[in-house]
mmCIF file of all heavy atoms in Angstrom:
data_model
loop_
_atom_site.group_PDB
_atom_site.id
_atom_site.type_symbol
_atom_site.label_atom_id
_atom_site.label_comp_id
_atom_site.label_asym_id
_atom_site.label_seq_id
_atom_site.Cartn_x
_atom_site.Cartn_y
_atom_site.Cartn_z
ATOM 1 N N TRP A 120 -11.452 5.930 7.808
ATOM 2 C CA TRP A 120 -11.194 5.808 6.445
ATOM 3 C C TRP A 120 -10.564 7.181 5.848
ATOM 4 O O TRP A 120 -9.776 7.148 4.855
ATOM 5 C CB TRP A 120 -12.268 5.284 5.469
ATOM 6 C CG TRP A 120 -11.665 4.583 4.429
ATOM 7 C CD1 TRP A 120 -11.277 3.216 4.456
ATOM 8 C CD2 TRP A 120 -11.309 4.929 3.058
ATOM 9 N NE1 TRP A 120 -11.016 2.782 3.101
ATOM 10 C CE2 TRP A 120 -10.885 3.841 2.270
ATOM 11 C CE3 TRP A 120 -11.372 6.275 2.535
ATOM 12 C CZ2 TRP A 120 -10.544 4.000 1.037
ATOM 13 C CZ3 TRP A 120 -10.955 6.455 1.177
ATOM 14 C CH2 TRP A 120 -10.539 5.202 0.469
ATOM 15 N N GLY A 121 -10.942 8.281 6.434
ATOM 16 C CA GLY A 121 -10.608 9.697 5.881
ATOM 17 C C GLY A 121 -9.021 9.833 6.091
ATOM 18 O O GLY A 121 -8.481 10.797 5.600
ATOM 19 N N ILE A 122 -8.382 9.133 6.935
ATOM 20 C CA ILE A 122 -6.971 9.203 7.086
ATOM 21 C C ILE A 122 -6.145 8.807 5.799
ATOM 22 O O ILE A 122 -5.115 9.439 5.603
ATOM 23 C CB ILE A 122 -6.592 8.304 8.247
ATOM 24 C CG1 ILE A 122 -7.169 8.732 9.585
ATOM 25 C CG2 ILE A 122 -4.947 8.271 8.482
ATOM 26 C CD1 ILE A 122 -6.886 7.889 10.686
ATOM 27 N N VAL A 123 -6.815 7.958 5.003
ATOM 28 C CA VAL A 123 -6.116 7.669 3.795
ATOM 29 C C VAL A 123 -5.839 8.838 2.866
ATOM 30 O O VAL A 123 -4.706 9.012 2.468
ATOM 31 C CB VAL A 123 -6.791 6.460 2.972
ATOM 32 C CG1 VAL A 123 -6.326 6.200 1.635
ATOM 33 C CG2 VAL A 123 -6.887 5.217 3.921
ATOM 34 N N PRO A 124 -6.835 9.639 2.476
ATOM 35 C CA PRO A 124 -6.595 10.740 1.619
ATOM 36 C C PRO A 124 -5.614 11.827 2.275
ATOM 37 O O PRO A 124 -4.855 12.465 1.637
ATOM 38 C CB PRO A 124 -7.908 11.341 1.283
ATOM 39 C CG PRO A 124 -8.995 10.447 1.926
ATOM 40 C CD PRO A 124 -8.383 9.395 2.660
ATOM 41 N N VAL A 125 -5.769 11.890 3.645
ATOM 42 C CA VAL A 125 -4.904 12.928 4.286
ATOM 43 C C VAL A 125 -3.454 12.460 4.162
ATOM 44 O O VAL A 125 -2.460 13.163 3.940
ATOM 45 C CB VAL A 125 -5.364 12.950 5.860
ATOM 46 C CG1 VAL A 125 -4.359 13.779 6.545
ATOM 47 C CG2 VAL A 125 -6.684 13.652 5.900
ATOM 48 N N TYR A 126 -3.125 11.139 4.378
ATOM 49 C CA TYR A 126 -1.919 10.606 4.289
ATOM 50 C C TYR A 126 -1.533 10.761 2.840
ATOM 51 O O TYR A 126 -0.277 11.019 2.523
ATOM 52 C CB TYR A 126 -1.810 9.162 4.663
ATOM 53 C CG TYR A 126 -0.502 8.474 4.366
ATOM 54 C CD1 TYR A 126 0.721 8.769 5.137
ATOM 55 C CD2 TYR A 126 -0.224 7.570 3.300
ATOM 56 C CE1 TYR A 126 1.844 8.138 4.917
ATOM 57 C CE2 TYR A 126 0.925 6.975 3.094
ATOM 58 C CZ TYR A 126 1.931 7.314 3.822
ATOM 59 O OH TYR A 126 3.131 6.677 3.442
ATOM 60 N N SER A 127 -2.253 10.617 1.841
ATOM 61 C CA SER A 127 -1.882 10.686 0.461
ATOM 62 C C SER A 127 -1.511 12.168 0.210
ATOM 63 O O SER A 127 -0.434 12.385 -0.629
ATOM 64 C CB SER A 127 -3.015 10.287 -0.539
ATOM 65 O OG SER A 127 -3.441 8.963 -0.339
ATOM 66 N N ALA A 128 -2.243 13.018 0.668
ATOM 67 C CA ALA A 128 -1.903 14.500 0.513
ATOM 68 C C ALA A 128 -0.503 14.836 1.032
ATOM 69 O O ALA A 128 0.395 15.559 0.424
ATOM 70 C CB ALA A 128 -2.902 15.340 1.026
ATOM 71 N N TYR A 129 -0.235 14.190 2.298
ATOM 72 C CA TYR A 129 1.056 14.560 2.908
ATOM 73 C C TYR A 129 2.109 13.836 2.263
ATOM 74 O O TYR A 129 3.162 14.525 1.887
ATOM 75 C CB TYR A 129 0.993 13.869 4.329
ATOM 76 C CG TYR A 129 2.315 13.822 4.979
ATOM 77 C CD1 TYR A 129 2.838 14.858 5.491
ATOM 78 C CD2 TYR A 129 2.933 12.627 5.114
ATOM 79 C CE1 TYR A 129 4.117 15.016 6.134
ATOM 80 C CE2 TYR A 129 4.180 12.496 5.706
ATOM 81 C CZ TYR A 129 4.777 13.637 6.177
ATOM 82 O OH TYR A 129 5.997 13.574 6.768
ATOM 83 N N ALA A 130 1.990 12.654 1.682
ATOM 84 C CA ALA A 130 3.059 12.047 0.901
ATOM 85 C C ALA A 130 3.326 12.708 -0.356
ATOM 86 O O ALA A 130 4.485 12.968 -0.799
ATOM 87 C CB ALA A 130 2.691 10.495 0.658
ATOM 88 N N ALA A 131 2.290 13.246 -0.995
ATOM 89 C CA ALA A 131 2.424 13.897 -2.233
ATOM 90 C C ALA A 131 3.192 15.337 -2.019
ATOM 91 O O ALA A 131 3.988 15.712 -2.796
ATOM 92 C CB ALA A 131 1.180 14.261 -2.998
ATOM 93 N N TRP A 132 2.820 15.899 -0.926
ATOM 94 C CA TRP A 132 3.459 17.226 -0.586
ATOM 95 C C TRP A 132 4.915 17.136 -0.217
ATOM 96 O O TRP A 132 5.742 17.835 -0.798
ATOM 97 C CB TRP A 132 2.699 17.903 0.617
ATOM 98 C CG TRP A 132 3.404 19.143 1.050
ATOM 99 C CD1 TRP A 132 4.086 19.418 2.120
ATOM 100 C CD2 TRP A 132 3.347 20.356 0.255
ATOM 101 N NE1 TRP A 132 4.706 20.619 2.080
ATOM 102 C CE2 TRP A 132 4.106 21.395 1.012
ATOM 103 C CE3 TRP A 132 2.791 20.823 -0.948
ATOM 104 C CZ2 TRP A 132 4.288 22.659 0.535
ATOM 105 C CZ3 TRP A 132 3.010 22.136 -1.324
ATOM 106 C CH2 TRP A 132 3.702 22.946 -0.527
ATOM 107 N N THR A 133 5.248 16.107 0.497
ATOM 108 C CA THR A 133 6.674 15.900 0.776
ATOM 109 C C THR A 133 7.429 15.468 -0.396
ATOM 110 O O THR A 133 8.613 15.893 -0.608
ATOM 111 C CB THR A 133 6.819 14.795 1.884
ATOM 112 O OG1 THR A 133 6.264 13.609 1.501
ATOM 113 C CG2 THR A 133 6.323 15.323 3.231
ATOM 114 N N THR A 134 6.892 14.742 -1.240
ATOM 115 C CA THR A 134 7.489 14.329 -2.552
ATOM 116 C C THR A 134 7.798 15.569 -3.344
ATOM 117 O O THR A 134 8.824 15.722 -3.922
ATOM 118 C CB THR A 134 6.827 13.318 -3.351
ATOM 119 O OG1 THR A 134 6.486 12.148 -2.455
ATOM 120 C CG2 THR A 134 7.555 12.904 -4.657
ATOM 121 N N TYR A 135 6.763 16.464 -3.457
ATOM 122 C CA TYR A 135 6.820 17.622 -4.265
ATOM 123 C C TYR A 135 7.885 18.556 -3.717
ATOM 124 O O TYR A 135 8.694 19.138 -4.480
ATOM 125 C CB TYR A 135 5.474 18.360 -4.308
ATOM 126 C CG TYR A 135 5.539 19.742 -4.872
ATOM 127 C CD1 TYR A 135 5.766 19.985 -6.298
ATOM 128 C CD2 TYR A 135 5.468 20.775 -4.060
ATOM 129 C CE1 TYR A 135 5.876 21.237 -6.757
ATOM 130 C CE2 TYR A 135 5.509 22.068 -4.514
ATOM 131 C CZ TYR A 135 5.731 22.251 -5.813
ATOM 132 O OH TYR A 135 5.805 23.573 -6.417
ATOM 133 N N THR A 136 7.851 18.858 -2.344
ATOM 134 C CA THR A 136 8.928 19.751 -1.848
ATOM 135 C C THR A 136 10.260 19.106 -1.894
ATOM 136 O O THR A 136 11.243 19.891 -2.051
ATOM 137 C CB THR A 136 8.556 20.038 -0.348
ATOM 138 O OG1 THR A 136 8.408 18.907 0.296
ATOM 139 C CG2 THR A 136 7.328 20.766 -0.246
ATOM 140 N N GLY A 137 10.413 17.844 -1.805
ATOM 141 C CA GLY A 137 11.663 17.221 -2.081
ATOM 142 C C GLY A 137 12.194 17.320 -3.497
ATOM 143 O O GLY A 137 13.412 17.712 -3.744
ATOM 144 N N MET A 138 11.321 17.291 -4.431
ATOM 145 C CA MET A 138 11.811 17.386 -5.882
ATOM 146 C C MET A 138 12.004 18.961 -6.142
ATOM 147 O O MET A 138 12.955 19.232 -7.009
ATOM 148 C CB MET A 138 10.701 16.851 -6.752
ATOM 149 C CG MET A 138 10.617 15.302 -6.837
ATOM 150 S SD MET A 138 9.332 14.550 -7.740
ATOM 151 C CE MET A 138 8.992 15.709 -9.040
ATOM 152 N N ARG A 139 11.186 19.673 -5.589
ATOM 153 C CA ARG A 139 11.511 21.193 -5.791
ATOM 154 C C ARG A 139 12.705 21.618 -5.354
ATOM 155 O O ARG A 139 13.420 22.485 -5.975
ATOM 156 C CB ARG A 139 10.304 21.911 -5.287
ATOM 157 C CG ARG A 139 10.215 23.488 -5.614
ATOM 158 C CD ARG A 139 9.160 24.128 -4.991
ATOM 159 N NE ARG A 139 9.234 23.887 -3.539
ATOM 160 C CZ ARG A 139 8.727 24.634 -2.575
ATOM 161 N NH1 ARG A 139 8.057 25.667 -3.002
ATOM 162 N NH2 ARG A 139 8.787 24.392 -1.347
ATOM 163 N N GLY A 140 13.196 21.044 -4.136
ATOM 164 C CA GLY A 140 14.455 21.418 -3.636
ATOM 165 C C GLY A 140 15.636 20.629 -4.222
ATOM 166 O O GLY A 140 16.688 20.957 -3.912
ATOM 167 N N GLY A 141 15.366 19.772 -5.174
ATOM 168 C CA GLY A 141 16.477 19.152 -5.779
ATOM 169 C C GLY A 141 17.019 18.000 -4.884
ATOM 170 O O GLY A 141 18.084 17.475 -5.230
ATOM 171 N N PHE A 142 16.402 17.558 -3.878
ATOM 172 C CA PHE A 142 16.849 16.654 -2.994
ATOM 173 C C PHE A 142 18.290 16.869 -2.540
ATOM 174 O O PHE A 142 19.264 16.124 -2.334
ATOM 175 C CB PHE A 142 16.784 15.206 -3.713
ATOM 176 C CG PHE A 142 15.562 14.676 -4.015
ATOM 177 C CD1 PHE A 142 15.022 14.670 -5.331
ATOM 178 C CD2 PHE A 142 14.610 14.351 -2.953
ATOM 179 C CE1 PHE A 142 13.854 14.154 -5.599
ATOM 180 C CE2 PHE A 142 13.376 13.854 -3.341
ATOM 181 C CZ PHE A 142 12.924 13.746 -4.658
ATOM 182 N N THR A 143 18.499 18.145 -2.240
ATOM 183 C CA THR A 143 19.810 18.547 -1.692
ATOM 184 C C THR A 143 19.935 19.085 -0.172
ATOM 185 O O THR A 143 20.199 19.968 0.190
ATOM 186 C CB THR A 143 20.275 19.744 -2.627
ATOM 187 O OG1 THR A 143 19.412 20.832 -2.352
ATOM 188 C CG2 THR A 143 20.563 19.371 -3.991
ATOM 189 N N ASP A 144 19.262 18.189 0.474
ATOM 190 C CA ASP A 144 19.219 18.446 1.955
ATOM 191 C C ASP A 144 20.596 18.468 2.530
ATOM 192 O O ASP A 144 20.985 19.484 3.191
ATOM 193 C CB ASP A 144 18.347 17.468 2.724
ATOM 194 C CG ASP A 144 16.934 17.491 2.298
ATOM 195 O OD1 ASP A 144 16.558 18.490 1.867
ATOM 196 O OD2 ASP A 144 16.188 16.464 2.454
ATOM 197 N N ALA A 145 21.334 17.324 2.462
ATOM 198 C CA ALA A 145 22.597 17.305 2.980
ATOM 199 C C ALA A 145 23.679 16.905 2.066
ATOM 200 O O ALA A 145 24.928 17.082 2.286
ATOM 201 C CB ALA A 145 22.671 16.268 4.224
ATOM 202 N N ALA A 146 23.306 16.432 0.927
ATOM 203 C CA ALA A 146 24.266 15.903 -0.134
ATOM 204 C C ALA A 146 24.757 17.087 -0.925
ATOM 205 O O ALA A 146 24.060 17.693 -1.647
ATOM 206 C CB ALA A 146 23.696 14.897 -1.030
ATOM 207 N N GLY A 147 26.097 17.178 -0.891
ATOM 208 C CA GLY A 147 26.769 18.136 -1.842
ATOM 209 C C GLY A 147 26.631 19.541 -1.365
ATOM 210 O O GLY A 147 27.115 20.391 -2.028
ATOM 211 N N VAL A 148 26.186 19.902 -0.189
ATOM 212 C CA VAL A 148 26.165 21.207 0.317
ATOM 213 C C VAL A 148 27.120 21.500 1.418
ATOM 214 O O VAL A 148 27.046 20.685 2.424
ATOM 215 C CB VAL A 148 24.715 21.532 0.847
ATOM 216 C CG1 VAL A 148 24.638 22.932 1.468
ATOM 217 C CG2 VAL A 148 23.678 21.377 -0.116
ATOM 218 N N PRO A 149 28.036 22.198 1.207
ATOM 219 C CA PRO A 149 29.091 22.543 2.284
ATOM 220 C C PRO A 149 28.335 22.892 3.594
ATOM 221 O O PRO A 149 27.545 23.619 3.771
ATOM 222 C CB PRO A 149 30.026 23.602 1.737
ATOM 223 C CG PRO A 149 29.596 23.719 0.352
ATOM 224 C CD PRO A 149 28.314 23.202 0.059
ATOM 225 N N GLN A 150 29.030 22.398 4.690
ATOM 226 C CA GLN A 150 28.455 22.761 6.004
ATOM 227 C C GLN A 150 28.945 24.246 6.423
ATOM 228 O O GLN A 150 30.057 24.566 6.035
ATOM 229 C CB GLN A 150 29.070 21.793 7.002
ATOM 230 C CG GLN A 150 28.906 20.318 6.757
ATOM 231 C CD GLN A 150 27.269 19.908 6.902
ATOM 232 O OE1 GLN A 150 26.719 20.667 7.726
ATOM 233 N NE2 GLN A 150 26.744 19.056 6.190
ATOM 234 N N PRO A 151 28.057 24.906 7.001
ATOM 235 C CA PRO A 151 28.342 26.308 7.218
ATOM 236 C C PRO A 151 29.531 26.489 8.334
ATOM 237 O O PRO A 151 30.113 27.438 8.292
ATOM 238 C CB PRO A 151 26.977 26.778 7.704
ATOM 239 C CG PRO A 151 26.151 25.681 8.186
ATOM 240 C CD PRO A 151 26.682 24.498 7.371
ATOM 241 N N GLY A 152 29.610 25.666 9.218
ATOM 242 C CA GLY A 152 30.557 25.712 10.180
ATOM 243 C C GLY A 152 31.962 25.179 9.936
ATOM 244 O O GLY A 152 32.864 25.130 10.582
ATOM 245 N N ALA A 153 32.082 24.686 8.651
ATOM 246 C CA ALA A 153 33.335 24.114 8.143
ATOM 247 C C ALA A 153 34.300 25.153 7.748
ATOM 248 O O ALA A 153 33.974 26.351 7.476
ATOM 249 C CB ALA A 153 33.063 23.121 7.031
#
Side-chain angles (χ1 to χ4, degrees):
W120 207 91
I122 293 172
V123 172
V125 171
Y126 173 73
S127 299
Y129 169 75
W132 177 254
T133 55
T134 302
Y135 167 73
T136 56
M138 287 175 29
R139 189 179 55 161
F142 295 109
T143 56
D144 294 336
V148 178
Q150 300 297 327

